[in-house]
C-alpha cells in the first residue's frame, strides 16, 4: 500500500475523529480505511489510535506522527503545485548539449534571448563534439548534426545540413578547379579530425549513387574553426557544412566546387530523452530554435544570393 496514502488516511481519521467520517470524505468503505490504518500501524510497529466506543483518540506516538504527517503532506502538495505550475509557466534549469563549432555560432547566441524571454529558466550549454548520453548525464536536449543512429532517444529535425567542397579564390587560381570527384586526387584536401580520417572520404553523389571519395592532403585538424581558417588562407580544399561557410560564399571569400556532385543534405536535429511529458522550458526552447532555423533570413543574414556556384 502506498505510504503517502496511508499517511493521508491517518491524518483524515485523526482530524475527523472516526474511521467512518474519514471514509465518507474519501468516498471509500470504512473497512478499507481501517485496513489502511492497520497497515500503517503494522509497518511502524506502534499503536497510533486508541479506540473507544464513542471516538478515536491519538496515542502519544500517534500525536507525534500526526504533526509530522501534516508537515510532510503539506510539503508534498506544495512541491506538486510548483511542478504543476511549470507546465503553465516555464521555470527550472535547462541543460543543452551542442557540437562546439555549430554551438558557438548557432546555439549560444540564442541562449541570452531565451533567458530574457523566460527569466525563471536557467540554462547550461555544453559545447563539445563528444556525443553525450542524454539519459545518463541528464541533459534535457542535445543539438546534433547528421543522421540518427540512437534508437533510445527522440530526434526532431530542425533544419537541413548541406555539405559543400570549398576553396579560396587564391587556391583555385594557383591549382585549378576540380571538375569531377576523381580530380580531388590531384588537390590538397584539408581534413577534419586526424590524418586517419581522410581514408573515410568525402561523400559525393556520382552516377546516381553516393560515393565516399578518398582524399589526401598535408594538413588535418580536429577543430573545425581552424580548418575553416586554413581554407580561407588558400591552403587547400575543404568539405564543410553550409552553415559554416555560407557568408564566405556570399561575400566571395570562398568558392564552392563540384556542386553537381553534392550529396543530399542530412539533418540538424534536437535530440530528446523522450517525447512525452517534456517540461515546458524544453518545448519552448526547441520551438524557438526550430522557428529561427526555419527562417531563410537566419542562414543568409547578408540578404545576398547564396546559390552554390
Amino acid at each position: 500500500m502506498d505510504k503517502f496514502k496511508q499517511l493521508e488516511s491517518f491524518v483524515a481519521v485523526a482530524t475527523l475523529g472516526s474511521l467512518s467520517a474519514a471514509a465518507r470524505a474519501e468516498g471509500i468503505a470504512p473497512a478499507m480505511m481501517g485496513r489502511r490504518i492497520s497497515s500503517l500501524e503494522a509497518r511502524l510497529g506502534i499503536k497510533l489510535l486508541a479506540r473507544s466506543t464513542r471516538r478515536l483518540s491519538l496515542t502519544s506516538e500517534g500525536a507525534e506522527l500526526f504533526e509530522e504527517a501534516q508537515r510532510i503532506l503539506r510539503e508534498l502538495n506544495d512541491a506538486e503545485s510548483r511542478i504543476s505550475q511549470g507546465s503553465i509557466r516555464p521555470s527550472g534549469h535547462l541543460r543543452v548539449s551542442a557540437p562546439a563549432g555549430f554551438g558557438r555560432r548557432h546555439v549560444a547566441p540564442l541562449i541570452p534571448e531565451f533567458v530574457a524571454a523566460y527569466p525563471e529558466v536557467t540554462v547550461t550549454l555544453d559545447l563539445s563534439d563528444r556525443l553525450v548520453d542524454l539519459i545518463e548525464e541528464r541533459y534535457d536536449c542535445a543539438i546534433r548534426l547528421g543522421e540518427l543512429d540512437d534508437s533510445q532517444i527522440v530526434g526532431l529535425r530542425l533544419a537541413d545540413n548541406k555539405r559543400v567542397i570549398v576553396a579560396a579564390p587564391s587556391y583555385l587560381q594557383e591549382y585549378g578547379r576540380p571538375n569531377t570527384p576523381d580530380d580531388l586526387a590531384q588537390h590538397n584536401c584539408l581534413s577534419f579530425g586526424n590524418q586517419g580520417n581522410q581514408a573515410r572520404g568525402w561523400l559525393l553523389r556520382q552516377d546516381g549513387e553516393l560515393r565516399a571519395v578518398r582524399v589526401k592532403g598535408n594538413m588535418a585538424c580536429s577543430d573545425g574553426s581552424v580548418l575553416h581558417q586554413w581554407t580561407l588562407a588558400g591552403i587547400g580544399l575543404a568539405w564543410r557544412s553550409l552553415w559554416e561557410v555560407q557568408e564566405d560564399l556570399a561575400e566571395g571569400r570562398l568558392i564552392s566546387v563540384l556542386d553537381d556532385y553534392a550529396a543530399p543534405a542530412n539533418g540538424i536535429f534536437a535530440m530528446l530523452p523522450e517525447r512525452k511529458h517534456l517540461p515546458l522550458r524544453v518545448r519552448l526552447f526547441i520551438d524557438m530554435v526550430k522557428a529561427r532555423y526555419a527562417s531563410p533570413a537566419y542562414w543568409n543574414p547578408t540578404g545576398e544570393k547564396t546559390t552554390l556556384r
Side-chain angles (χ1 to χ4, degrees), residues 9-207:
S9 296
F10 169 68
V11 169
V13 170
T15 301
L16 298 175
S18 75
L19 289 171
S20 58
R24 284 195 302 272
E26 194 166 331
I28 62 174
M32 180 171 288
M33 184 65 69
R35 285 196 293 272
R36 290 179 182 175
I37 300 302
S38 297
S39 296
L40 178 60
E41 290 178 327
R43 182 164 59 84
L44 297 178
I46 56 174
K47 198 72 173 175
L48 300 174
L49 297 171
R51 297 167 175 82
S52 67
T53 56
R54 299 181 60 186
R55 183 178 174 86
L56 293 175
S57 60
L58 292 170
T59 64
S60 58
E61 291 86 357
E64 182 177 352
L65 179 62
F66 178 61
E67 184 175 333
E68 286 296 315
Q70 285 182 308
R71 178 187 60 79
I72 291 170
L73 294 174
R74 183 172 58 251
E75 291 180 355
L76 176 62
N77 289 332
D78 290 345
E80 289 180 341
S81 177
R82 289 194 300 271
I83 294 173
S84 177
Q85 288 177 4
S87 65
I88 302 171
R89 183 177 60 189
S91 61
H93 190 65
L94 177 69
R95 295 194 70 209
V96 181
S97 171
F102 183 86
R104 280 192 294 269
R105 284 173 175 251
H106 299 292
V107 181
L110 303 181
I111 299 299
E113 180 180 344
F114 181 76
V115 172
Y118 307 107
E120 294 185 34
V121 178
T122 58
V123 179
T124 295
L125 175 61
D126 176 19
L127 296 181
S128 171
D129 292 322
R130 178 179 66 92
L131 292 181
V132 302
D133 187 319
L134 273 71
I135 298 174
E136 291 295 326
E137 300 180 55
R138 298 185 179 181
Y139 282 92
D140 292 297
C141 69
I143 308 300
R144 290 183 182 169
L145 311 180
E147 297 305 316
L148 303 185
D149 57 5
D150 191 342
S151 60
Q152 296 181 342
I153 52 181
V154 178
L156 301 176
R157 196 179 190 96
L158 301 174
D160 288 336
N161 178 41
K162 189 175 182 64
R163 302 196 73 176
V164 293
I165 298 175
V166 295
S170 60
Y171 176 88
L172 297 179
Q173 183 176 358
E174 183 172 356
Y175 297 101
R177 183 179 186 131
N179 295 310
T180 69
D182 293 336
D183 292 342
L184 292 175
Q186 310 304 319
H187 286 269
N188 190 35
C189 296
L190 308 175
S191 294
F192 178 77
N194 52 47
Q195 289 284 349
N197 283 342
Q198 292 177 342
R200 299 177 184 176
W202 294 354
L203 194 62
L204 297 173
R205 181 180 290 278
Q206 189 172 19
D207 298 327

Side-chain angles (χ1 to χ4, degrees), residues 195-226:
Q195 289 284 349
N197 283 342
Q198 292 177 342
R200 299 177 184 176
W202 294 354
L203 194 62
L204 297 173
R205 181 180 290 278
Q206 189 172 19
D207 298 327
E209 296 182 356
L210 290 180
R211 173 189 173 196
V213 180
R214 297 187 62 175
V215 297
K216 61 182 181 180
N218 59 9
M219 296 170 68
C221 186
S222 60
D223 188 314
S225 62
V226 171

